[in-house]
Amino acid sequence: LTKEKQNLEEQLRDSSRSTKELRHRTLAADNRHKELKLQLDKLNQELEQALSDKGELAGEVAQMQSERIDLETEVANLKAELADITQERGQGHSEVQHLRQKL
């Protein structure tokens, strides 16, 4: 009976020790889970910010492309205007030479 009592007490100590170890590991796992959740939340916030920034940049790129097209159109118009002016000047020069020959 004494031997059984000693065995039971030993099993109780082992069980108690195992329970304490399990509690300790559970607490450590809970703390690690909290840390990982905080990291995940932080990464999600960074991702949301990056996506927001990307959207803003896409808007800016579209605006710049629109401005580039407007500038290209303006340059084409100025080149056409310059060609017309150059042609008129050439015709005016020819007319002046023609009038000088008549004089």
Side-chain angles (χ1 to χ4, degrees), residues 2 5 10 21 25 28 45 52 59 62 72 74 80-81 101:
T2 305
K5 183 179 176 187
E10 189 176 323
E21 289 175 6
R25 291 188 354 223
Q45 287 176 349
S52 174
E72 287 174 348
E74 188 175 340
E81 197 176 319
Q101 286 176 355

Side-chain angles (χ1 to χ4, degrees), residues 1-50:
L1 191 61
T2 305
K3 187 164 174 100
E4 267 187 55
K5 183 179 176 187
Q6 286 176 346
N7 284 341
L8 287 175
E9 286 175 353
E10 189 176 323
Q11 287 177 358
L12 180 61
R13 282 192 299 274
D14 289 345
S15 177
S16 179
R17 187 171 32 250
S18 295
T19 302
K20 286 179 185 178
E21 289 175 6
L22 184 59
R23 266 191 241 140
H24 176 73
R25 291 188 354 223
T26 301
L27 182 60
D30 286 347
N31 288 338
R32 182 66 179 145
H33 178 264
K34 287 177 187 176
E35 289 174 16
L36 292 173
K37 181 160 180 6
L38 289 173
Q39 288 178 1
L40 180 60
D41 290 344
K42 182 180 176 185
L43 290 172
N44 280 332
Q45 287 176 349
E46 289 175 7
L47 177 60
E48 287 177 17
Q49 183 62 45

Side-chain angles (χ1 to χ4, degrees), residues 39-82:
Q39 288 178 1
L40 180 60
D41 290 344
K42 182 180 176 185
L43 290 172
N44 280 332
Q45 287 176 349
E46 289 175 7
L47 177 60
E48 287 177 17
Q49 183 62 45
L51 291 173
S52 174
D53 292 346
K54 180 183 175 185
E56 290 175 15
L57 287 174
E60 289 177 19
V61 167
Q63 178 66 30
M64 292 171 110
Q65 287 174 336
S66 176
E67 290 174 7
R68 188 193 87 227
I69 290 169
D70 291 345
L71 288 171
E72 287 174 348
T73 301
E74 188 175 340
V75 166
N77 290 340
L78 288 172
K79 284 181 179 180
E81 197 176 319
L82 178 60

Side-chain angles (χ1 to χ4, degrees), residues 77-93:
N77 290 340
L78 288 172
K79 284 181 179 180
E81 197 176 319
L82 178 60
D84 290 346
I85 291 170
T86 302
Q87 183 180 2
E88 289 175 10
R89 188 180 82 191
Q91 288 174 352
H93 184 66

